[in-house]
Structures are given as structure tokens and as C-alpha cells.
């Protein structure tokens, strides 16, 4: 008569093979890199600089490159999952799938770090665009204001000429040309920083311009009003363009994040499929003795 002995233990033996996982990860990265290099070779071969119209445009290159990159990664992960499951020696489908997912995690670890840095850099770029809209508009307004009508002069050149000149406060008629222009430069610069003339600053600039260019004060006031309207339009256009650029950057970052998520999801599926194919199909049968 036979006797069956059942051994019990409080802890199940580990069924993970880290050697198989590391080998699969190396295979996945290497195969993916190999196909990416092949894609670079094919893409470079399509460039025909001597024949107009034969070279694909940048949009086509971008779409084809993204598609090839995804396919290369999927092939690499499928190969890595197969290798890991096969080398693990397991005949259990669940164990094989888990080995394939481990390969996927290791293969994408470095990519996740790099993509995180890129995403952070993109977010900082969007913030910089939004914050720089005001300064861009201010610079554009400052450039536009000295160029309207006959009130054209170079503030930087005047600043170099008038370092020792007195700036403002006196009767425009008794001031020298350098003093008038220095004060006009200061008033224009203050307007560019604040966004509008104060009534006192506008009246002072009108008086200075009338004397400086020998025109009536009402004509000087009209030219200054036209100058300010043009500066306002330039400011509004600059702000609109900056906001559009920031919105386009944010939209591109959002689309890129969705594509990254899809790539990760498909990569996990490829690793699982490769692992299921690589899992051994041999069934281990327990032998029994009969007396």
C-alpha cells in the first residue's frame, strides 16, 4: 500500500527569474534601437537635395518617423517579452505574462525619465511664453512710438550723447536740443513701462515736441495721439500672438502626452503577447504510486 506525503510550508518559493527579465530587457532595448537605426537609414535615403520636389516635406517625415518609432518599440518589447518568458522556464501563463510586463517596465524606465524631463521643459516653456507676452508687447510699443510722424529719433543714441545733459523741468523754449530730446526719451520710456501717458506727461511731451520740431501744439498733440494709438495696436497684436503661441505649445504638449500614453499601453500589450508566445507549453504531471 502506497503512502502520499504532502509537504507544507508557510512561504511559497519565488517564481520570478530576474536573470530572464534583465536579458529580456536588454533584448527589447537592443532590438528597438536596431529598428530605429534602420528607420534613420531609410529616412536619410529618401532625401534628394539635388532634385527639387523629390524630398518628402517635414510633416511627412514627422508622421513617418513617429510611426516607425512606435513600431520599433513594439517589436523590441515583443522580442524582449518572449525572451524573458522563455528563459524563465515557467509553464504558467500568468507567470510568463508577469515576466513580460517586468521587461516592459525596465525597457521604458529610462524613456520615462527622459520624457519627464521633456514634459517639464515644455511646461516651463509655456509659462515663459505667457509671462513674456507683456515684455514682448512693451518692447514692440517702445520701438513703434519713436517712429510715428516726424517724431523719429533713436533713444539709445541719444542716451549715449546726453549722459551729462540735464533732463527736464524747464521751459522747453529755453532748453537745449539735447535736453529736450533727453526728456522726450524719458517720457516715452515711462509710457512704454506703464502702458499709458499720464495727463501731465502727455502735456509735457506735447510742449517739448512743439518746440523741438517747430510745429503748433495742437499738431504736436495730434501726432502724439496717433503715436499712442499705434503703440496700443502693436501691444495688442504682440499680446495676441504671444497667447496664440502659448496655446499652440500647450496643445502640442497635450497631444504628445496622449501619444506617449498610447505608446506605453501598446508596448505593454506587445510585451504580454511576446511573453505568452514564449511561455513553455510543457505540462508538468505529478507522478503517483499505486500499491
Amino acid at each position: 500500500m502506497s503512502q502520499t506525503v504532502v509537504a507544507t510550508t508557510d512561504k511559497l518559493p519565488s517564481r520570478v527569474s530576474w536573470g530572464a527579465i534583465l536579458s529580456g530587457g536588454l533584448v527589447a532595448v537592443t532590438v528597438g534601437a536596431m529598428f530605429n537605426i534602420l528607420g534613420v537609414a531609410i529616412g536619410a535615403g529618401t532625401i534628394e537635395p539635388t532634385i527639387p520636389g523629390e524630398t518628402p516635406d517635414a510633416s511627412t517625415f514627422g508622421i513617418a518617423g513617429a510611426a516607425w518609432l512606435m513600431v520599433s518599440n513594439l517589436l523590441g518589447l515583443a522580442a524582449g517579452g518572449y525572451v524573458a518568458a522563455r528563459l524563465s522556464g515557467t509553464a504558467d501563463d500568468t507567470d510568463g505574462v508577469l515576466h513580460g510586463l517586468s521587461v516592459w517596465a525596465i525597457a521604458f524606465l529610462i524613456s520615462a525619465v527622459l520624457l519627464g524631463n521633456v514634459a517639464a521643459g515644455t511646461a516651463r516653456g509655456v509659462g515663459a511664453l505667457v509671462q513674456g507676452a507683456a515684455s514682448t508687447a512693451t518692447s514692440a510699443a517702445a520701438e513703434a512710438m519713436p517712429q510715428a510722424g516726424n517724431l523719429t529719433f533713436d533713444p539709445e543714441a541719444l542716451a549715449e550723447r546726453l549722459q551729462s545733459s540735464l533732463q527736464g523741468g524747464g521751459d522747453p523754449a529755453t532748453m537745449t536740443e539735447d535736453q529736450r530730446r533727453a526728456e522726450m526719451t524719458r517720457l516715452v520710456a515711462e509710457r512704454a513701462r506703464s502702458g499709458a501717458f499720464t495727463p501731465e506727461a502727455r502735456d509735457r511731451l506735447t510742449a517739448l515736441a512743439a518746440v523741438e520740431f517747430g510745429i503748433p501744439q495742437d499738431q504736436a498733440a495730434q501726432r502724439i495721439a496717433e503715436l499712442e494709438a499705434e503703440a496700443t495696436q502693436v501691444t495688442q497684436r504682440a499680446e495676441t500672438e504671444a497667447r496664440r503661441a502659448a496655446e499652440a505649445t500647450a496643445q502640442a504638449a497635450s497631444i504628445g502626452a496622449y501619444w506617449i500614453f498610447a505608446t506605453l499601453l501598446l508596448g505593454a500589450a506587445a510585451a504580454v503577447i511576446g511573453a505568452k508566445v514564449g511561455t513553455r507549453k510543457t505540462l508538468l504531471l505529478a507522478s503517483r504510486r499505486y500499491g
Side-chain angles (χ1 to χ4, degrees), residues 133-134 136-138 140-142 191 230-240:
T136 302
T138 299
R191 193 275 176 202
E230 181 179 351
T232 301
Q233 292 178 358
V234 171
T235 300
Q236 292 175 348
R237 286 198 301 269
E239 290 179 350
T240 300

Side-chain angles (χ1 to χ4, degrees), residues 31-60:
V31 171
M34 179 184 67
F35 279 105
N36 285 328
I37 293 172
L38 177 61
V40 172
I42 296 174
T46 61
I47 299 176
E48 295 289 347
T50 59
I51 304 178
E54 292 295 325
T55 301
D57 56 19
S59 176
T60 303

Side-chain angles (χ1 to χ4, degrees), residues 24-158:
L26 291 174
V27 170
V29 172
T30 304
V31 171
M34 179 184 67
F35 279 105
N36 285 328
I37 293 172
L38 177 61
V40 172
I42 296 174
T46 61
I47 299 176
E48 295 289 347
T50 59
I51 304 178
E54 292 295 325
T55 301
D57 56 19
S59 176
T60 303
F61 263 120
I63 295 174
W68 187 274
L69 179 63
M70 178 178 291
V71 172
S72 300
N73 289 335
L74 294 181
L75 292 175
L77 287 168
Y82 177 89
V83 169
R86 195 71 178 175
L87 293 181
S88 68
T90 181
D92 184 85
D93 284 339
T94 302
D95 289 350
V97 167
L98 292 177
H99 278 78
L101 287 176
S102 299
V103 169
W104 165 77
I106 290 178
F108 274 104
L109 181 60
I110 297 178
S111 298
V113 173
L114 295 178
L115 290 173
N117 293 335
V118 171
T122 302
R124 287 193 297 269
V126 173
L129 282 173
V130 175
Q131 294 177 359
S135 60
T136 302
T138 299
S139 300
E143 292 177 1
M145 291 193 66
Q147 299 177 359
N150 294 327
L151 304 178
T152 58
F153 52 90
D154 187 353
E156 294 183 359
L158 288 175

